[in-house]
Amino acid sequence: MSRLNSLGLLLAAIFATASTAQEGAFHYIGAVKCQECHYAPGGPRARDFVLLTEARTWKNRDKHSMAVRLLVGISRTGEDGQLVIEPEKEENAVGLNMLVRLKVFTPDDMQEAIARAGEMNPELQTAQEAVRANRKKTLQAKLDNLEDPDKVTFDQIEALEKIESETEEQVKTIELAYLTPLIDKMYASPIGRGCLACHADLRETGTSPNVESVSFRKDSVPDGVSCEACHGPGEKYLDPHYKSEFRSLAPSAKIALGLNDLRHPAVRANQCYSCHIGDVQQGKFIEHSWYMAGHPPLPSIEVETFAHDMPRHWRYLKEKKIRDGRDDFVAAILGDEAHAFEIDSKFPQTKEVVVGGVVALRKSVALLADAHVKYKDAGIPDFAAFDCLACHQELRTKPVITRDESKFDPFIPGRPNIGRWSFALADLAVDLSQDAAQRKAFDAQINAWRTAMTRQPFGEPQGTATAAAGLQTLLKGMETSLASQETSLEMAAAAYDRLKQIATTELLDFHSARQTVWAMQVIATEAALPLPEDLKYPAGDNTSDVARYLQIRLPAGAKKVITDPNNLPLLLSRIGDYDPERFRELMREALK
Amino acid sequence: MTSLATHCTSILLILGGVATSVARGDHWRKLECEPSAALGAWSCAATACHGGGELSRRTSGGELERWRNADPHARAASTIESDAFAKILLKLGIITKISDGKAPGQRLGDLAGNPDDLSNHAQAAARLNECLQCHNPMGAPTSWTRELAPAPGVEVMSDGLAIGCESCHGPAKHWIGDHFRRDFDRQQSGFHDLKNPLVRARTCTQCHIGDGQRDMNHDMIAAGHPPLRFDMASYERALPKHWNDSRQRAGTRDYELKLWLAGQLANFDSGLSLLESRVARSKAEEPENRAKRAKAPWPEFAESNCSSCHHALRSETEAAETGIAYQPNDSPLSTKNWNCGALEALLGLERPADADRLPEIQADFRRLVDDRYLRWLEPDASLPADLPRQVQLAANYDQQLQAYACYLAVAKSRYDERHKTSGVPSPIALDELQALRTLLRPRSSSDAVTERLRYSEVLRLFESAAEKLQ
């Protein structure tokens, strides 16, 4: 097929999609489809333009693949990262206990789950052993084939691969047998669907933002937050996207096929925050009663640091090796106005820190404005739209006024605001613009927000909505202009210096302090700026004073459970014991 | 706005069929505080009256000296001259700057808003006036009051006492001439019968809890004002008394405990008046309201226990250890107020759910107290022996303080009774109460973890103290 023809077909497909999109038919296909290609075992192909190991990394190392399992007591804490069904274990039972308290499950459901786990866990272990053994056999056969193609034929390898995938199916079948009764119950309850909105990518179609009106596909249940949760429903782009011509499509053409434009730093951040901050319109909102029932608090999030720990399964343009297709790809994205920024692409992570910081504030103000609408009948929005620490702080006779409090909180003290950390990096972005008009406009919008939040505790609904709208317009504009600007070494250095200055002169609350340190780590590492040893992101445990004080290292990896008794209580006591003056002192020492 | 009150739990004030045996009395009478009927402390200060001399058992004399020299209330004016006070005003936006070194009387220039821009300036002045309702009811001259008369037509008192005799005893204009007579009618208009423990408690709670005229809210606490945690029995023990209560004490069984109960009843009653006023003022349209009183914020966080929100985030295990179990529909913003918690436990009272019915609910409450609990305050009455167990609330910091105040009253009562009968002073549960006192002391800013560590210890001490005090 000639190049022109296939492009023509693609365009036809796009055109067809554009017309069907209005009727709303972006179907999810499930991670299993993606794994057919993106689960390659590495080797020479990993050096190609596309890694092809993305799904493998995600499945074995990324916590997101555990998102649903976490709710029902399955962990990857077995030997060599094997799946284990142990809902009776304390750290695994948090999700189940929570769902019992919220009446999504009955105590009997919980007991049944434990009983079923007792039966199925040994089966699951046996099945996983079989997968391992078969995988070994296949691998050996491939090696033998390399050595001597006569000894092992391709047919034999294919047969072994078939056995391997069949045993893998067996693992999934056991998991599904355990999960399905529980997931069915969750489908049936509004709270359960709320959980699944973030914890699973189970929707049939990707058009309706309203989680209550969509149906879920069940065959992907154990996959949790899988490929399409971020990349978009795959139905329309699945076939075209593996043709090499796809690379020469502009991002806007890919979007029309349902593929999210995750190369764009603002889009990427927005995708993360839709769960990690919340998005009322997408049905992603953890109510305060869920926290009371046991959901761990959502911490602040700096996108690059979190991505680093996923671990990142993608490469930025500058990291992509020059092999076939790259030039077409570069030409295509640079031809797209929204992607002109990638031409410099020297400091994509620094760019993400700054742009992501702006998006965080935009999402946080939107969350509160939307919560005001959603909880209108209750008179006040749900507490979960606010900073946990606004209320959950020990009483102190000598209050410490932090920077974010005096710059961004309501003018009357003692009134809750949205997460203070969400202002920290947005304010940095304004500083970096070095534009007095930008600073003035930002401060004016922030003052409008503060005024609306001062008019009554939790914010006056109409005023908050107006201020949120104004802020969102301004922040959106900032995102676009920051994304399209070249992120130079000077800008990275300026950002690093400004953060250093803030950390050593201002008083920051716990989460803003974390944002600041994370941002410093990403920027200094990428731009090769001198970063003191004590401030480096720890490879293992939190060993330096600053790292320990902020519990800076995330409980990363699919094998770690957030609710681990060694993690969550420690983090919570770090938050409770945190003293802004002590942090400033530690930073002064570290940066001496 | 009505729905805002729905997080309060249901009303309970169940009116049983108990006959009205105790006269409904003047103990619920509105406490007059009309400044125009006040005469000032000098009117009481004659040597032959309450001026010179020593405090004695039977005669008057020395009260005012004792008050002026020892009682912290007498120095209320210095509070409002302090930097701490100015800082609170600054944080609340009532003033826009603190003029250092300015002579008293010139600070009014700091008030927010241009005096020409009356709406803003008048509002700032109105809000300052709220502070002065408690801190300077007698209108002593301070840097804040020279131009800001406490009420129209009131002369500024020259005795220099921001809180004077009449702040508690009532404005004296109508009774100064005959209150020393043997046949004086203590129900005389304007006279506060402070010998009656309930009236005394209500007099304190006007400021120490708040009422329709006085409101110290969460905004002010966040700006630096200490939270109002009032327990009359404890406070009275700590106050250098300018009166002699030994006769009353000797003639009353469980005197301390009755003081405690009277204090709790007054807390509850004042709290209802305050809540009613808060709800009404939160609904008031601002422009009309502006010149008089500031619009009240709602929800008002100070209606709740401090620790219903102010506790560290806990993991599930820790929550279980501290006994904070998850309860469905448990709204953190309850109306379980620190100052009312003990009474809720003891009498099964709950604070109202229905904001619109507050006046009615207060009338019900008063009737219930008259019918059932007033007799508990009679000199011969004895209170339930297992009272400490009934008030054993220790789930959070507020409740722990609350229970501690009650236990102290019980311990002091038992101590006095033993002393009366055997002549030998023998303290009860002293070790436990001292240990509790240490544990419950206000925490320093760096001491945030103690709540987690000490819970089981506090519980054990209460348990052991309750046993001994039974």
Side-chain angles (χ1 to χ4, degrees):
Chain A
M1 195 192 294
S2 82
R3 174 99 179 256
L4 200 68
N5 264 345
S6 59
L7 247 184
L9 278 177
L10 262 182
L11 291 172
I14 293 161
F15 186 74
T17 311
S19 56
T20 46
Q22 288 154 1
E23 292 149 31
F26 281 93
H27 287 273
Y28 286 80
I29 53 172
V32 69
K33 272 279 178 212
C34 315
Q35 286 172 34
E36 284 176 14
C37 291
H38 293 275
Y39 203 81
R45 297 176 78 188
R47 289 203 299 272
D48 201 349
F49 179 75
V50 179
L51 285 167
L52 294 182
T53 55
E54 294 86 353
R56 190 184 189 82
T57 308
W58 162 76
K59 191 168 184 183
N60 296 333
R61 298 173 62 195
D62 187 337
K63 213 181 223 51
H64 290 92
S65 67
M66 299 301 291
V68 163
R69 296 178 172 125
L70 189 70
L71 295 181
V72 292
I74 306 177
S75 68
R76 238 181 225 293
T77 51
E79 191 198 336
D80 210 15
Q82 301 283 61
L83 293 166
V84 189
I85 314 180
E86 285 176 331
E88 72 282 4
K89 233 166 94 180
E90 187 192 325
E91 60 265 43
N92 289 354
V94 174
L96 279 168
N97 279 334
M98 211 186 120
L99 288 160
V100 170
R101 292 193 188 111
L102 293 169
K103 296 202 162 42
V104 176
F105 297 155
T106 63
D108 288 347
D109 294 333
M110 174 95 175
Q111 286 316 311
E112 273 169 38
I114 291 174
R116 261 184 301 122
E119 272 169 42
M120 291 174 179
N121 195 37
E123 282 178 43
L124 185 71
Q125 299 313 316
T126 316
Q128 289 182 105
E129 276 311 311
V131 173
R132 271 165 108 185
N134 290 332
R135 192 171 287 155
K136 230 178 191 169
K137 273 186 209 161
T138 321
L139 195 68
Q140 190 56 49
K142 283 176 178 170
L143 287 172
D144 291 347
N145 170 273
L146 277 178
E147 237 172 53
D148 180 4
D150 291 338
K151 203 168 120 197
V152 180
T153 64
F154 279 110
D155 286 351
Q156 282 171 316
I157 292 176
E158 214 163 82
L160 283 169
E161 274 179 339
K162 196 166 170 244
I163 295 172
E164 191 188 324
S165 69
E166 274 167 11
T167 44
E168 268 177 4
E169 276 303 305
Q170 185 58 28
V171 171
K172 195 165 186 176
T173 309
I174 297 168
E175 269 201 280
L176 269 177
Y178 169 73
L179 275 159
T180 306
L182 294 168
I183 296 293
D184 278 347
K185 281 239 164 181
M186 291 177 73
Y187 288 143
S189 131
I191 293 179
R193 293 169 88 92
C195 303
L196 294 173
C198 282
H199 280 267
D201 165 35
L202 305 173
R203 280 172 290 173
E204 288 279 13
T205 65
T207 50
S208 172
N210 183 357
V211 75
E212 275 143 40
S213 69
V214 298
S215 54
F216 294 83
R217 44 180 300 129
K218 297 185 189 178
D219 55 346
S220 321
V221 162
D223 289 339
V225 179
S226 63
C227 317
E228 292 163 285
C230 298
H231 291 277
E235 185 201 13
K236 297 285 177 199
Y237 67 79
L238 173 69
D239 278 339
H241 94 285
Y242 52 73
K243 299 192 172 67
S244 62
E245 292 81 6
F246 191 77
R247 289 183 195 157
S248 27
L249 284 184
S252 53
K254 294 176 181 171
I255 294 167
L257 291 168
L259 184 65
N260 290 336
D261 186 20
L262 296 180
R263 303 198 60 77
H264 195 288
V267 177
R268 194 161 64 239
N270 190 69
Q271 204 66 36
C272 302
Y273 296 148
S274 72
C275 291
H276 283 267
I277 289 175
D279 189 324
V280 174
Q281 292 182 16
Q282 290 182 22
K284 296 170 173 178
F285 183 67
I286 306 173
E287 293 189 1
H288 188 260
S289 60
W290 305 8
Y291 286 121
M292 290 172 81
H295 195 291
L298 282 188
S300 64
I301 162 169
E302 191 289 295
V303 179
E304 270 308 317
T305 306
F306 275 55
H308 171 274
D309 271 358
M310 277 175 76
R312 181 150 67 88
H313 60 253
W314 63 91
R315 290 180 298 189
Y316 295 112
L317 192 58
K318 70 164 185 181
E319 297 163 323
K320 292 214 183 244
K321 300 288 178 288
I322 304 180
R323 283 177 71 123
D324 43 312
R326 188 185 191 274
D327 294 344
D328 288 344
F329 177 77
V330 172
I333 57 172
L334 296 187
D336 190 286
E337 207 182 319
H339 275 257
F341 67 85
E342 295 209 70
I343 198 156
D344 75 274
S345 196
K346 268 181 258 159
F347 303 106
Q349 300 187 49
T350 300
K351 180 166 275 178
E352 180 65 292
V353 168
V354 179
V355 174
V358 179
V359 184
L361 180 56
R362 174 162 64 80
K363 290 300 271 189
S364 295
V365 294
L367 191 76
L368 179 54
D370 290 344
H372 261 299
V373 176
K374 180 168 181 194
Y375 299 93
K376 175 161 96 253
D377 294 341
I380 53 173
D382 192 88
F383 298 139
F386 299 88
D387 196 339
C388 306
L389 303 182
C391 300
H392 295 297
Q393 49 178 298
E394 297 258 355
L395 299 175
R396 286 156 204 264
T397 43
K398 192 193 109 195
V400 185
I401 304 295
T402 62
R403 165 186 192 256
D404 291 350
E405 203 172 336
S406 56
K407 275 187 85 166
F408 306 117
D409 270 7
F411 292 106
I412 291 179
R415 306 272 178 92
N417 198 358
I418 51 171
R420 286 189 189 128
W421 67 266
S422 55
F423 294 94
L425 297 178
D427 193 65
L428 172 78
V430 181
D431 282 339
L432 291 179
S433 74
Q434 292 187 317
D435 176 353
Q438 179 93 288
R439 169 51 76 187
K440 206 173 157 197
F442 180 77
D443 288 350
Q445 287 293 348
I446 290 289
N447 272 357
W449 174 261
R450 299 177 80 187
T451 306
M453 296 297 288
T454 306
R455 288 185 64 82
Q456 73 188 53
F458 301 116
E460 189 261 311
Q462 191 49 50
T464 314
T466 313
L471 253 174
Q472 286 184 82
T473 311
L474 179 88
L475 296 171
K476 263 233 134 112
M478 275 173 66
E479 288 159 26
T480 313
S481 89
L482 278 165
S484 57
Q485 259 173 52
E486 184 188 340
T487 311
S488 60
L489 179 63
E490 289 71 39
M491 194 192 238
Y496 182 65
D497 285 345
R498 175 75 184 126
L499 289 168
K500 225 158 68 169
Q501 186 196 15
I502 290 170
T504 51
T505 55
E506 306 272 6
L507 292 170
L508 300 174
D509 71 279
F510 180 84
H511 292 293
S512 301
R514 273 183 138 199
Q515 291 293 101
T516 303
V517 173
W518 280 331
M520 287 173 75
Q521 287 166 342
V522 174
I523 296 170
T525 308
E526 189 182 43
L529 299 166
L531 183 70
E533 200 56 39
D534 278 2
L535 287 185
K536 285 194 174 137
Y537 191 71
D541 291 338
N542 289 306
T543 46
S544 78
D545 285 348
V546 173
R548 210 174 307 121
Y549 200 60
L550 297 178
Q551 182 105 340
I552 204 80
R553 164 106 196 154
L554 296 160
K559 292 178 197 171
K560 294 240 175 83
V561 191
I562 288 166
T563 47
D564 190 313
N566 293 319
N567 173 55
L568 189 58
L570 185 61
L571 174 65
L572 296 179
S573 67
R574 291 267 184 262
I575 294 174
D577 297 345
Y578 175 82
D579 171 7
E581 287 169 2
R582 175 82 187 124
F583 170 70
R584 188 169 62 182
E585 219 171 88
L586 288 175
M587 288 303 278
R588 282 174 181 170
E589 274 166 37
L591 287 160
K592 217 169 6 196
Chain B
M1 197 61 89
T2 18
S3 64
L4 291 175
T6 50
H7 32 74
C8 318
T9 27
S10 57
I11 314 176
L12 67 95
L13 302 183
I14 312 143
L15 295 177
V18 179
T20 317
S21 57
V22 183
R24 295 246 164 80
D26 293 284
H27 46 265
W28 297 123
R29 191 170 59 168
K30 188 169 163 26
L31 295 165
E32 300 281 345
C33 51
E34 188 47 60
S36 59
L39 302 173
W42 295 142
S43 312
C44 318
T47 316
C49 300
H50 303 289
E54 302 258 310
L55 275 179
S56 80
R57 193 167 193 160
R58 295 189 180 277
T59 59
S60 68
E63 290 90 350
L64 184 59
E65 278 312 296
R66 175 93 171 133
W67 169 264
R68 285 171 62 88
N69 295 332
D71 196 299
H73 294 91
R75 292 189 295 278
S78 67
T79 304
I80 50 182
E81 296 289 8
S82 69
D83 284 351
F85 183 78
K87 277 182 191 157
I88 292 173
L89 296 185
L90 187 67
K91 279 189 192 157
L92 289 170
I94 295 174
I95 59 175
T96 50
K97 62 177 188 299
I98 297 178
S99 314
D100 285 330
K102 277 205 172 177
Q106 294 180 323
R107 274 190 164 167
L108 274 173
D110 296 348
L111 272 186
N114 185 338
D116 297 332
D117 170 15
L118 278 181
S119 60
N120 227 344
H121 195 71
Q123 201 189 11
R127 290 173 69 199
L128 174 61
N129 229 341
E130 298 259 317
C131 308
L132 305 182
Q133 293 297 317
C134 286
H135 286 281
N136 191 4
M138 302 306 288
T142 69
S143 56
W144 299 109
T145 45
R146 183 159 291 179
E147 294 163 56
L148 201 69
V154 180
E155 282 178 42
V156 169
M157 293 295 168
S158 56
D159 56 28
L161 289 173
I163 298 175
C165 312
E166 290 157 291
S167 305
C168 297
H169 291 277
K173 198 172 183 177
H174 301 300
W175 49 262
I176 192 160
D178 58 353
H179 73 287
F180 45 80
R181 295 165 70 108
R182 206 167 274 281
D183 59 350
F184 174 64
D185 173 14
R186 299 179 70 84
Q187 308 305 328
Q188 164 86 46
S189 156
F191 183 82
H192 300 168
D193 185 14
L194 300 180
K195 277 219 169 76
N196 180 328
L198 193 51
V199 176
R200 185 150 87 246
R202 286 184 58 226
T203 308
C204 304
T205 56
Q206 289 178 99
C207 287
H208 284 272
I209 297 289
D211 64 6
Q213 278 75 48
R214 303 164 189 85
D215 182 356
M216 202 291 295
N217 65 15
H218 185 266
D219 289 345
M220 299 185 201
I221 300 173
H225 194 291
L228 293 181
R229 291 187 152 137
F230 187 64
D231 172 65
M232 186 177 71
S234 312
Y235 275 50
E236 207 177 289
R237 272 197 298 278
L239 195 75
K241 289 189 197 56
H242 61 270
W243 68 94
N244 194 321
D245 63 357
S246 50
R247 209 160 24 161
Q248 208 178 3
R249 192 177 280 275
T252 307
R253 193 174 169 165
D254 283 338
Y255 180 75
E256 284 280 339
L257 202 44
K258 281 167 189 168
L259 273 192
W260 174 82
L261 180 62
Q264 295 297 322
L265 292 170
N267 281 3
F268 202 94
D269 187 67
S270 265
L272 288 175
S273 305
L274 176 61
L275 178 58
E276 184 192 337
S277 149
R278 280 171 171 169
V279 171
R281 280 179 295 121
S282 74
K283 290 176 181 170
E285 284 304 317
E286 206 154 4
E288 282 174 37
N289 198 42
R290 203 170 246 175
K292 293 183 203 134
R293 296 189 71 181
K295 186 177 164 82
W298 194 263
E300 175 48 60
F301 301 136
E303 285 291 334
S304 305
N305 261 347
C306 305
S307 54
S308 52
C309 299
H310 291 294
H311 57 74
L313 298 172
R314 303 179 185 90
S315 69
E316 201 170 0
T317 332
E318 289 171 312
E321 275 165 14
T322 50
I324 317 285
Y326 171 76
Q327 289 165 353
N329 308 320
D330 185 7
S331 168
L333 256 193
S334 69
T335 48
K336 292 220 175 295
N337 185 293
W338 183 85
N339 292 304
C340 303
L343 213 58
E344 286 168 9
L346 183 65
L347 309 183
L349 293 177
E350 281 180 35
R351 307 233 297 156
D354 187 348
D356 294 335
R357 282 195 54 232
L358 277 163
E360 203 181 313
I361 285 161
Q362 189 172 38
D364 286 351
F365 166 73
R366 291 179 171 185
R367 208 173 309 128
L368 180 78
V369 172
D370 286 348
D371 288 349
R372 286 203 185 165
Y373 302 110
L374 210 56
R375 69 176 78 125
W376 286 12
L377 296 177
E378 301 285 337
D380 294 336
S382 57
L383 269 67
D386 63 341
L387 195 129
R389 285 223 182 275
Q390 293 190 36
V391 187
Q392 191 178 331
L393 315 142
N396 59 47
Y397 185 63
D398 302 79
Q399 293 186 350
Q400 289 164 6
L401 285 180
Q402 184 70 254
Y404 175 69
C406 171
Y407 278 40
L408 271 188
V410 177
K412 183 77 170 78
S413 275
R414 303 274 193 268
Y415 173 90
D416 287 349
E417 291 306 311
R418 282 194 189 183
H419 198 179
K420 261 188 237 172
T421 49
S422 68
V424 184
S426 56
I428 315 166
L430 190 65
D431 293 345
E432 285 84 352
L433 292 170
Q434 278 177 346
L436 280 168
R437 183 186 156 87
T438 311
L439 284 171
L440 297 177
R441 261 174 196 287
R443 283 158 284 173
S444 74
S445 54
S446 59
D447 189 22
V449 78
T450 46
E451 190 189 332
R452 273 192 275 268
L453 300 177
R454 65 178 184 195
Y455 174 74
S456 54
E457 180 64 1
V458 168
L459 208 64
R460 191 189 63 74
L461 289 166
F462 273 125
E463 193 61 49
S464 161
E467 189 109 327
K468 293 182 183 170
L469 290 169
Q470 195 81 328

